[in-house]
Amino acid sequence: MPNKSQIDELKQILLERKVNILNNINNSRANIDQLKEQDINDDLDYAELVSDSFTEGMIANHQLDELNQIEESLKKIAAGTYGICDMCGVTIPLGRLKAKPFAKFCTECRTVYEHEFVKRAKN
Ligand SMILES: [Zn+2]
């Protein structure tokens, strides 16, 4: 288990990341609103508008996903279960948590999880 000061450090990273994501999402929404207000003169503009909005949407979705994971990690810190693999219960190495503070699986379980996910997606 990471010790208290290590957890505090990771919590700080999570909180900063959370603020960044919230700002990014707000900016994306503002950009999309701005695009929607602009007059669409021809097909080319429309194509650009659609692809920009689509990209923004993809980024926002990805960020919302990360935001959920950050929230989950913060709850775990509060509950004292942070840094434990959701699947097998081993302590996630500190190096992995530092690289990805919202990791919920150890490296091995992550590999299994991704493998299963890819397999399901193909079927
Ligand atoms: Zn595990």
Side-chain angles (χ1 to χ4, degrees), residues 88-103:
C88 71
V90 305
T91 302
I92 301 171
L94 188 64
R96 173 157 165 76
L97 288 172
K98 278 191 171 160
K100 200 181 171 192
F102 51 81

Side-chain angles (χ1 to χ4, degrees), residues 84-92 104-110:
I84 298 167
C85 173
D86 263 10
M87 218 182 292
C88 71
V90 305
T91 302
I92 301 171
K104 56 182 174 179
F105 299 130
C106 68
T107 318
E108 283 101 84
C109 290
R110 179 78 223 172

Side-chain angles (χ1 to χ4, degrees), residues 38-47 49:
Q38 285 170 4
D39 286 333
I40 301 164
N41 294 323
D42 53 40
D43 289 344
L44 189 70
D45 280 352
Y46 183 69
L49 175 65

